[in-house]
Structures are given as C-alpha cells and as structure tokens.
Amino acid sequence: MILTVTLNTALDITYTVGTLTPHTSHRVGEVAERPGGKGVNVARVLSALGHETVVTGFAGGPVGAVLRDLLAPLPPRDALVATAGSTRRTIAVVDAASGDTTQLNEPGPVVAPEEWAAFLERYAELLREAEAVALCGSLPPGIHVGAYAELVRRARAAKVPVLLDTDGEPLRRGIAARPDLVKPNTEELARLTGAREPLRAARDARRRGAHTVVASLGADGLLSVGPDGVWQAAGAGPVRGNPTGAGDSMVAALLAGVVEGIPWQQNLARAVALSAATVAAPAAGEFDRAAYERLLPGVRVSERAVSA
Amino acid sequence: MILTVTLNTALDITYTVGTLTPHTSHRVGEVAERPGGKGVNVARVLSALGHETVVTGFAGGPVGAVLRDLLAPLPPRDALVATAGSTRRTIAVVDAASGDTTQLNEPGPVVAPEEWAAFLERYAELLREAEAVALCGSLPPGIHVGAYAELVRRARAAKVPVLLDTDGEPLRRGIAARPDLVKPNTEELARLTGAREPLRAARDARRRGAHTVVASLGADGLLSVGPDGVWQAAGAGPVRGNPTGAGDSMVAALLAGVVEGIPWQQNLARAVALSAATVAAPAAGEFDRAAYERLLPGVRVSERAVSA
C-alpha cells in the first residue's frame, strides 16, 4: 500500500455566493463538505489510480468526526490518530458567476506531545507495510518544526521511498533529512532558496538534500532535477479550469510511478497529464479520466543538456 | 419563565483575519464559536437580566451538537427539538485592524413535516409555563412561510404575550396574526410597508395587526406606536462600538419589561439603554453592565402629540 501523511487534515467547506463583497452580509446558496488536507487529496487520487492507500495524520473534535464520517465510505483506509483539539475547517467562498475563490483557512488543533508520540508509533507500524509514503501539507500548532525531517529519517531507515510536499521552514528542515522526492511549486522553491529561476532553484534544493526535485510550473508542466539529469515535461497546450488540487494529483502520479517502477520519463509524462486532467475536471480536486487519457500522448518530455 | 423561539439556530463562528481580500487565501488568526440565532441571543441577555429563560426551536447534525454543547453550561434551558439536517453555521470574518465584518450565512437544515409537528407539540407544552414568548429570526428551509403566524395564534390562544422579530414574508404573515409586539428596524419596516418614514411605517405595521410596534432606529433610539400613544426614546448621545446584537438586546429588554409589568415609558428607556450598552461592549452580542447603568438615566422618553 501507499501511505499518505496529513498532519493538519481539514474539513474542506465550499460556499457558493453571488459575489463576495467585503463588509457586507451574504446568504450562502450551496454548502459542500469534503475531507481534505493535501495528503487526503493525494490518497483519493491514488485510490482512483487503483492503488491501495492508507491515510494517517490527526483528526479530532466534532469537525474531525465529520471528516472521518465523510472519509469512511471512500477507498483510502482511515488510520488517523485522535487529537483532543478539533480538526480545522477550510472555507472556499466561490463567486457563482466568475468561479473566483476566496480561501479562509483555520490554523488547526494544538497537538499535544503525547498525541505526537502516539502518531509516531502508528507511523512506524504503517511504514512496515508501505511501498512509499507522501508527507503533505502544513503543520498544525504544537508540532515541532522539524517534524517532517523526523518522518523523512524514519521512512529512510525503514527503506520506504518518501516524498515531501510542504512549504517554509518545515520544508527547509525536512529537505535536509534527504527525502527521495520533493515537489515544490515555483513560489515554494523561491521561498526555500531565494532563487526565482526554476532550474537554479531546483538545483539549490537538490544540494540541500533532496534526491530528486520535481518543480511544478503550473501551465508549463514540470521540471525534474535528479540523478537521471534534468528533464522538462509539458502538455500540448493550456488547459482551462480550476487549478485546485493539480499539485496533489502530481504528487499522486509521481508516487504511483515510483511504486510501479516505470521509467522516470514516463512517470513525469503521467504526472503532467494527471495534473492537467485535474484542472480540466469541474469539481475541485477530482481528475477527469477521459481528459487524462486524451492529454497523456500530448505530453512532451525532453532532457536538458545541463548538469543536475 | 420567558420562552424564546429560534427556528433557525446557528453556530456563530468568528474569524479574525488581517484584511479580507476577495480571491486570495487567508490564514485565520483567531477562531471563536458561540451558540447563535436571534432567539438564543435574546435568551442570553434575558438570563443576564435575571430572568429564567428557555430556548426552543431546532438543532441537528454535528453542528447542532456543537451548538448544544456550547449552550449546556449557559443559564438558558435547552428545549430545542432535534432535526435530521445539520444546523447552519454563520461566519463573521472580522478585519483585525478596522473591525469591519463580512458575514457568510448558511441557509439552515430542511425541516421535515414531522419535525415541525414535534416542535408544535413542544411549543404547546412550553407555553403552559411561559410568562412571555419571543419569536425570532429567519425560517429554515422546509418550514411554511406562515409558521410565525401559527405560533403567534397559539401564543394568543394560550394568553401568553408574544413578541415577533423577523423580516420579509414571515413578518408580513406573522403580523396579521396580531402579535402583542413587533420590533422591526427601519429597513424591515420599509420592506413590510413600503414607507421609509418610521412613524408612517410603524402606524401602517400597526394597522396590519401588531398591538404595539417598536421600531429600532439605530443610534436614534426607538419609536413606539401602540395603544398608549406614540413615544420616542433616545440616548444622550451616540455610542461607539459594535452594533451586532443591539436589536436582540432591545427585544430582551422589552420582553423583560412586559413580564415585570413596569410602566411602558420605563420599559422603552431600559430598551434604549440596554441596546446602547450592547454596542458599547467589546464582544459582539454581550452588553456592558456598567455602561447600561450609566446610560439609563440619560435616556429621554417623550410622547409625540400625534395619534397612534
């Protein structure tokens, strides 16, 4: 199975309003709820790709109970650890006409030291059956900033390939623990390295400890810098739609490719196509299977004649 | 005891952000939750005024469970009726620097006919011990628009003084059932009657069936039109602060005065002072007791020499 870790799971709530106008009152038309947090999203895509998937991390309080109820009928297996504090809500306010979205993200529960200890125990057990692990998203309050570094080291000690997808100081510390794969976007790379040029930034990130860096470049696809050299992969043309979840789909595709042992170029092509098929899907975070099949042959993967 | 009815209770959630900017992402600093809906707010103020208070209406689902947990340690007694659907959330997004608030209100659960029937049974039981009843706020989906008219008639049949505080078609229908008291603000009055001038609009509302109309005029206090004539009551000067809940405090004061049997002029003075003391309190919907004591002697109540 493939394990995904979401330390700061979320109940994703979507509100549809006419137009969001600050300092006025709005009647919400439609309310939708789904279990969220990056690792949960990655697990859903992995399941849709046919992989047995387990989600761990934290959930607690009344919001956590709703999240787990919504997760229960879905394919990813729930191996979340309980917290006394309540799981956070994230609210996406969508303007009905334009589809423009305003996001409000709660910080998440304060995780107590004994809850973190319980998680580490659960994580160690799950690593025994895992073929790969993805560590995804922000840290809830109360967890030390080196948490991802600790989880990377434990995965490496267990000889389980580990992908890290986070931001800021947790990424900086986590990358130093030498994960197999990191998947920053250009903003996250720039914050980490100070460099805005993707190749320069990705090389810097690699020097900091990541075995392979796959930088997601939005509509321009991705850039991979690793032991196999420098690769660029991009779709045939721009795809219209909602980019929410495109990065999570890229993580899922990469991890699936690692577990399936397919050639790296093919893996990158699938990652670009799946990410674009997520943009094309009407529902945020879902991917359009027909679009995926259609887009895949159009992805161009080319090696760049520079050193990694 | 005094009974308050909140058919569309709410979990009031307050988010503090830097500045709300549409179509961007926000990390919420502080998250606060409290049990809400107009009748619940009125009950809290009545309890603070020393009155035994019971809240009824509907609550259901995981959000309803949180609301009831938050209500449990408070003085108002919980006599809410369970719904299968989940209680709504209302989200107030407060800009940290300015205090300006953006409101997002969910519609509420669809109440089934058998849930409405269960409520009517509970309402009839509670009316037997009630000295007065307040019917407050919007109707959740699934409840017929004449619901308040039905509740007014039942209160009158039980000889319990009834105050109605709602808006739109539910107010239009409810007022025709001859409630003892309605407390619209100027916008609600204008929507009901088409008249923007408060005296004209209040007289029209009285002709539609209300025994007494108390129109809240914001910083200008209130206008009362009833069998005792036309009265105006206003504080000594403007009060700075958050007007959220000022109307609910006015309802609570009026109802307390009715139950205590104090002279109408004194009741109006207390209503103005309590409303202003709610504006002055730092927390939305709370009132500042010291401000209330200080403001009360400054309220001027004067009779207007016109017919009601």
Side-chain angles (χ1 to χ4, degrees):
Chain A
M1 62 84 167
I2 300 177
L3 179 64
T4 75
V5 173
T6 318
L7 297 177
N8 210 3
T9 56
L11 180 64
D12 288 342
I13 302 172
T14 304
Y15 286 163
T16 305
V17 299
T19 305
L20 181 67
T21 311
H23 317 150
T24 69
S25 192
H26 305 76
R27 277 171 201 264
V28 173
E30 223 173 290
V31 180
E33 293 185 345
R34 50 177 274 165
K38 272 174 184 291
V40 174
N41 301 340
V42 169
R44 291 177 63 150
V45 176
L46 281 166
S47 295
L49 293 174
H51 283 274
E52 195 197 331
T53 314
V54 176
V55 295
T56 189
F58 295 105
V63 176
V66 171
L67 181 138
R68 297 183 83 157
D69 281 351
L70 293 172
L71 198 55
L74 303 180
R77 176 152 62 90
D78 174 353
L80 295 163
V81 172
T83 48
S86 191
T87 295
R88 68 191 174 128
R89 289 166 287 222
T90 70
I91 305 212
V93 185
V94 179
D95 289 11
S98 65
D100 288 329
T101 298
T102 308
Q103 193 73 36
L104 295 157
N105 297 332
E106 295 186 8
V110 177
V111 175
E114 60 275 19
E115 292 167 343
W116 176 243
F119 168 77
L120 287 178
E121 209 164 302
R122 178 75 55 88
Y123 181 64
E125 285 163 24
L126 292 167
L127 279 178
R128 274 181 227 130
E129 352 158 22
E131 297 165 87
V133 56
L135 310 174
C136 302
S138 65
L139 296 178
I143 290 191
H144 71 95
V145 73
Y148 278 133
E150 191 172 350
L151 300 185
V152 167
R153 277 193 298 271
R154 285 175 186 237
R156 284 173 50 79
K159 301 201 185 335
V160 178
V162 55
L163 182 154
L164 177 62
D165 185 15
T166 186
D167 193 10
E169 192 59 24
L171 173 60
R172 187 183 306 274
R173 306 250 186 145
I175 214 168
R178 311 190 69 76
D180 296 277
L181 203 49
V182 294
K183 192 229 55 68
N185 60 35
T186 44
E187 286 70 36
E188 289 160 352
L189 261 185
R191 276 191 286 273
L192 176 70
T193 65
R196 285 219 66 88
E197 202 279 305
L199 178 59
R200 194 171 152 192
R203 280 169 160 163
D204 184 340
R206 218 181 149 230
R207 274 195 298 275
R208 288 165 184 266
H211 197 64
T212 299
V213 177
V214 175
S216 56
L217 308 177
D220 294 332
L222 60 78
L223 176 76
S224 167
V225 180
D228 298 339
V230 177
W231 296 85
Q232 193 125 22
V239 172
R240 288 176 60 90
N242 185 344
T244 305
D248 299 332
S249 287
M250 193 176 275
V251 167
L254 291 170
L255 217 55
V258 165
V259 166
E260 294 165 30
I262 62 173
W264 191 241
Q265 289 159 262
Q266 196 185 329
N267 196 352
L268 297 180
R270 288 186 2 177
V272 167
L274 197 70
S275 179
T278 303
V279 175
E286 310 284 335
F287 73 92
D288 179 330
R289 203 173 287 268
Y292 173 63
E293 305 291 349
R294 194 175 64 245
L295 290 163
L296 187 57
V299 179
R300 285 186 189 191
V301 184
S302 52
E303 187 161 17
R304 283 176 64 167
V306 292
S307 70
Chain B
M1 60 84 168
I2 299 178
L3 178 64
T4 75
V5 173
T6 318
L7 297 177
N8 210 4
T9 55
L11 180 64
D12 288 343
I13 302 173
T14 303
Y15 286 163
T16 304
V17 300
T19 305
L20 181 66
T21 310
H23 317 151
T24 69
S25 192
H26 306 75
R27 278 172 199 264
V28 174
E30 223 174 288
V31 180
E33 293 186 344
R34 52 176 274 166
K38 274 176 182 287
V40 173
N41 301 340
V42 169
R44 292 177 64 151
V45 176
L46 281 167
S47 295
L49 293 173
H51 283 275
E52 194 198 333
T53 314
V54 176
V55 295
T56 188
F58 295 104
V63 176
V66 172
L67 180 138
R68 296 183 84 157
D69 281 351
L70 292 171
L71 198 56
L74 303 180
R77 177 152 59 90
D78 174 352
L80 295 164
V81 172
T83 47
S86 190
T87 296
R88 69 192 172 127
R89 290 165 286 222
T90 70
I91 305 211
V93 185
V94 180
D95 289 11
S98 66
D100 287 328
T101 298
T102 308
Q103 193 72 36
L104 294 158
N105 297 332
E106 295 185 8
V110 176
V111 175
E114 60 274 18
E115 291 167 343
W116 176 242
F119 168 77
L120 287 177
E121 208 166 300
R122 178 75 55 89
Y123 181 64
E125 285 162 24
L126 292 167
L127 279 178
R128 275 181 225 130
E129 351 157 23
E131 297 165 88
V133 57
L135 310 173
C136 303
S138 65
L139 297 178
I143 289 190
H144 70 96
V145 73
Y148 279 134
E150 190 173 351
L151 300 185
V152 168
R153 279 192 298 270
R154 286 175 185 238
R156 284 172 49 81
K159 300 200 182 342
V160 177
V162 55
L163 182 154
L164 176 62
D165 185 15
T166 185
D167 193 8
E169 192 59 24
L171 174 59
R172 188 184 304 273
R173 306 250 186 146
I175 214 168
R178 311 190 71 75
D180 296 277
L181 205 49
V182 294
K183 192 226 58 64
N185 60 35
T186 44
E187 284 71 34
E188 289 161 350
L189 261 186
R191 275 192 287 274
L192 176 70
T193 65
R196 286 219 67 89
E197 201 280 307
L199 178 58
R200 194 173 151 190
R203 279 170 162 162
D204 184 342
R206 219 185 148 226
R207 276 194 298 272
R208 287 165 184 266
H211 196 64
T212 300
V213 177
V214 175
S216 55
L217 308 177
D220 292 333
L222 61 79
L223 176 76
S224 166
V225 180
D228 298 341
V230 176
W231 296 85
Q232 194 124 22
V239 172
R240 288 176 60 89
N242 184 344
T244 304
D248 299 332
S249 287
M250 193 175 275
V251 166
L254 290 170
L255 216 55
V258 165
V259 166
E260 294 166 30
I262 61 173
W264 190 242
Q265 288 158 263
Q266 196 184 329
N267 196 351
L268 297 179
R270 289 188 359 181
V272 167
L274 197 70
S275 179
T278 303
V279 175
E286 310 284 334
F287 73 91
D288 179 330
R289 205 174 286 269
Y292 173 63
E293 306 289 347
R294 195 175 64 244
L295 290 163
L296 187 57
V299 179
R300 285 188 188 188
V301 185
S302 53
E303 189 164 13
R304 282 176 65 167
V306 290
S307 70

